[in-house]
Amino acid sequence: MPNPPLRGLGQVPVAVYSCAASPPLASDAERRARHYADARHWLVAGVWTDKDPSVPLGDRLGWSAVTGALSSGLIRGIVVAAASHVSLDAAQFAALGVLVRDRGGFLTEATTESPRRTPGQHERRRVLFEAAAGWIPYGRAVPATPW
């Protein structure tokens, strides 16, 4: 069942979830996920952490609390620091995202990677910037007028 729309720009309540064996890893994951949510002006409505990654996701108390908050409409999305906190591989993470979407929310990973670059993209951008600045590497492209 979809959640009703909220009033206000950017007021998307999200949960931050992590599963790490040690407290420093858990706090680092929470920090990265909060930073990701803050950069998008999302409201962090709650933070849940589980301590044993070897426990199946469905049996974790923190995850159960997050899905309960999603089902009740308290949150709209779930932010994890890395997909490995909730899944073993990318396919499992995508399948979990579909399940969360079916409950009216979204699941996202707090990525810190730079945007992907294509081969030759840097050179094409340099040429475009130089052309926009009026610099032509081969002299004048248009012959000078005699007058």
Side-chain angles (χ1 to χ4, degrees), residues 46-115:
V47 177
W48 286 272
T49 303
D50 284 314
K51 293 181 171 92
D52 191 2
S54 65
V55 174
L57 187 62
D59 296 336
R60 297 179 190 170
L61 294 177
W63 182 254
S64 296
V66 168
T67 56
L70 181 67
S71 295
S72 68
L74 292 175
I75 61 169
R76 284 287 196 68
I78 304 167
V79 181
V80 295
S84 61
H85 289 264
V86 292
S87 65
L88 298 175
D89 58 11
Q92 193 177 22
F93 185 77
L96 185 61
V98 170
L99 290 174
V100 170
R101 190 172 56 238
D102 288 345
R103 289 188 174 186
F106 64 90
L107 173 68
T108 187
E109 178 183 12
T111 57
T112 57
E113 298 175 1
S114 60

Side-chain angles (χ1 to χ4, degrees), residues 10-64:
Q11 294 299 313
V12 178
V14 295
V16 169
Y17 176 78
S18 64
C19 183
S22 69
L25 291 175
S27 72
D28 181 54
E30 178 187 339
R31 181 189 53 79
R32 285 187 292 141
R34 277 184 179 273
H35 179 70
Y36 186 84
D38 289 343
R40 283 145 187 82
H41 304 287
W42 294 340
L43 175 68
V44 176
V47 177
W48 286 272
T49 303
D50 284 314
K51 293 181 171 92
D52 191 2
S54 65
V55 174
L57 187 62
D59 296 336
R60 297 179 190 170
L61 294 177
W63 182 254
S64 296

